[in-house]
């Protein structure tokens, strides 16, 4: 329940956005009050498209650093702000750029598929980007005789490899938030709610995915929750998604699989920081032009390949 102070601050931010020509872009993992005042709420892929297509002169990204960088890469003519420059992604930060360059040198004919959850420098040495919502479609369009390095999430990569029956080399990295659930916890919940469907994000380990009734991105999980005949849903991804699920299908019982499914980086963004960011135009997100151009190619390929009708 929001207090009167928070509601006043939300109203002030809404007014400030209009005054300053700001487009507030938020990820589903943000705090509910931030999702409530955002101009657009989505997953990584949808956020990229929304940033590219918005008409405002300034984009404020309520998400972690690679999301703000993606907006800056796609929108060089706009001012891109982050309300919390220290909000980052531990999985993305485990990628060592030298590893990717070395792999490229040793396997010049390989295709490097980079999860959008990567720094701009990694995108710049990748062939194509993907997100959890389009990774299977992207990989399926790569010739079977081409070797693939999937960077950086080994769990998403293994899920796509299983789904497509495709061998891929996987970079060793994972999302710490999606590791905070055990198979035993899911078994206990299923015993308690035998009629429930288990909805799992593909960044979860295989032993968790194997228990799922549905595996999908954040937007995929929300869509399934809305359209599924199941009335009880066990949600296995970051807690912020619960706001959208409760808004879109309030008649259903949605249960977060663990109270520990919280990303501290996502939750480090607050109304106060967003208010300050809009008011003071801080903190500016910039990507060096050479890196931006190279990483733009991988992002544009992702958008193009995702839009293809592959039958």
């Amino acid at each position: 329940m929001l207090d009167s102070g928070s509601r006043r601050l939300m109203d002030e931010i809404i007014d400030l956005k209009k005054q300053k020509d700001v487009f507030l872009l938020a990820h589903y993992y943000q705090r509910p009050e931030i999702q409530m005042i955002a101009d657009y709420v989505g997953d990584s892929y949808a956020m990229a498209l929304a940033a590219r297509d918005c008409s405002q002169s300034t984009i404020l990204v309520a998400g972690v650093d690679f999301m703000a960088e993606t907006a800056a890469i796609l929108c060089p003519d706009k001012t891109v702000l982050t309300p919390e420059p220290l909000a980052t992604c531990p999985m993305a930060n485990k990628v060592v750029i030298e590893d990717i360059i070395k792999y490229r040198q040793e396997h010049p004919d390989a295709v490097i598929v980079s999860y959008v959850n990567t720094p701009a420098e990694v995108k710049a040495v990748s062939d194509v980007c993907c997100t959890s919502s389009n990774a299977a479609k992207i990989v399926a369009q790569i010739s079977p005789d081409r070797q693939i390095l999937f960077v950086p999430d080994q769990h998403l990569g293994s899920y796509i490899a299983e789904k497509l029956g495709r061998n891929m080399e996987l970079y060793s990295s994972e999302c710490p938030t999606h590791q905070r659930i055990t198979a035993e916890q899911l078994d206990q919940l299923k015993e308690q709610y035998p009629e429930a469907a288990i909805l799992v994000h593909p960044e979860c380990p295989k032993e968790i995915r194997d228990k799922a009734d549905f595996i999908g991105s954040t937007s995929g999980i929300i869509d399934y929750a809305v359209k599924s005949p199941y009335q009880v849903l066990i949600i296995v991804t970051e807690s912020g998604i619960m706001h959208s699920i409760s808004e879109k299908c309030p008649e259903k019982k949605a249960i977060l699989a663990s109270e520990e499914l919280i990303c501290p980086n996502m939750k480090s963004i607050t109304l106060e920081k967003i208010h300050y960011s809009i008011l003071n135009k801080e903190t500016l997100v910039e990507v060096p032009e050479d890196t931006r151009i190279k990483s733009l190619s991988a992002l544009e390929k992702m958008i193009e390949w995702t839009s293809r009708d592959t039958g």
Side-chain angles (χ1 to χ4, degrees):
M1 202 71 170
L2 293 171
D3 58 33
S4 58
S6 294
R7 293 196 176 277
R8 276 197 305 272
L9 194 53
M10 289 165 71
D11 290 338
E12 287 181 28
I13 291 170
I14 291 168
D15 289 341
L16 270 176
K17 284 193 299 169
K18 294 175 185 174
Q19 294 171 26
K20 305 283 187 178
D21 196 34
V22 172
F23 184 74
L24 177 54
L25 190 56
H27 192 272
Y28 286 124
Y29 294 164
Q30 286 298 303
R31 297 169 183 268
E33 60 268 28
I34 292 173
Q35 295 186 49
M36 289 165 67
I37 59 168
D39 296 293
Y40 188 87
V41 182
D43 60 13
S44 298
Y45 182 68
M47 287 174 72
L49 296 183
R52 183 196 64 177
D53 297 338
C54 83
S55 60
Q56 288 88 335
S57 60
T58 298
I59 302 171
L60 176 61
V61 181
V64 293
D65 50 6
F66 73 79
M67 296 173 180
E69 279 189 342
T70 297
I73 292 164
L74 291 170
C75 310
D77 58 330
K78 296 182 185 294
T79 299
V80 178
L81 303 173
T82 173
E84 178 46 85
L86 297 180
T88 188
C89 175
M91 174 177 65
N93 295 339
K94 283 183 71 176
V95 181
V96 178
I97 186 70
E98 288 77 15
D99 290 344
I100 312 304
I101 294 171
K102 182 181 178 184
Y103 187 89
R104 171 77 76 192
Q105 291 169 344
E106 294 174 350
H107 306 88
D109 295 325
V111 179
I112 297 175
V113 180
S114 169
Y115 198 16
V116 78
N117 300 38
T118 49
E121 291 81 1
V122 173
K123 294 180 178 72
V125 294
S126 302
D127 293 294
V128 61
C129 287
C130 71
T131 70
S132 54
S133 63
N134 61 22
K137 187 171 186 179
I138 296 292
V139 172
Q141 294 179 67
I142 299 170
S143 174
D145 61 357
R146 300 287 298 277
Q147 189 170 342
I148 296 174
L149 173 64
F150 191 90
V151 184
D153 184 19
Q154 59 188 336
H155 298 307
L156 174 61
S158 69
Y159 169 67
I160 298 304
E162 291 167 12
K163 185 173 182 177
L164 299 178
R166 180 77 184 253
N167 289 324
M168 298 193 298
E169 292 199 46
L170 308 177
Y171 197 90
S172 181
S173 186
E174 59 192 21
C175 167
T177 298
H178 284 106
Q179 314 314 303
R180 296 190 189 122
I181 181 72
T182 65
E184 290 75 22
Q185 285 174 298
L186 277 187
D187 288 341
Q188 289 171 9
L189 280 169
K190 187 67 175 178
E191 187 175 335
Q192 187 177 356
Y193 300 99
E195 75 280 23
I198 299 175
L199 284 54
V200 173
H201 195 283
E203 288 182 13
C204 291
K206 178 174 170 53
E207 63 266 24
I208 301 301
R209 300 197 308 267
D210 285 348
K211 295 185 178 295
D213 295 287
F214 174 80
I215 301 171
S217 65
T218 45
S219 59
I221 287 174
I222 293 168
D223 190 53
Y224 184 89
V226 172
K227 296 177 180 177
S228 165
Y230 287 97
Q231 294 301 301
V232 183
L233 309 163
I234 297 170
I235 309 299
V236 192
T237 190
E238 210 275 345
S239 62
I241 199 175
M242 302 300 284
H243 173 73
S244 287
I245 292 175
S246 65
E247 288 281 299
K248 294 182 179 182
C249 46
E251 76 284 359
K252 296 187 177 182
K253 182 179 181 66
I255 304 156
L256 186 65
S258 169
E259 292 302 320
E260 294 185 12
L261 286 167
I262 296 173
C263 173
N265 285 282
M266 285 288 191
K267 296 301 190 285
S268 69
I269 295 173
T270 63
L271 289 174
E272 289 77 11
K273 290 177 181 179
I274 287 175
H275 185 272
Y276 181 89
S277 183
I278 297 174
L279 202 58
N280 297 281
K281 277 207 164 185
E282 293 183 10
T283 297
L284 186 65
V285 178
E286 295 180 298
V287 177
E289 186 63 8
D290 180 58
T291 301
R292 190 192 74 80
I293 294 297
K294 290 175 181 175
S295 54
L296 178 64
S297 173
L299 286 169
E300 286 183 332
K301 279 184 189 175
M302 173 184 74
I303 294 169
E304 178 197 344
W305 293 14
T306 304
S307 64
R308 284 178 182 169
D309 183 3
T310 57

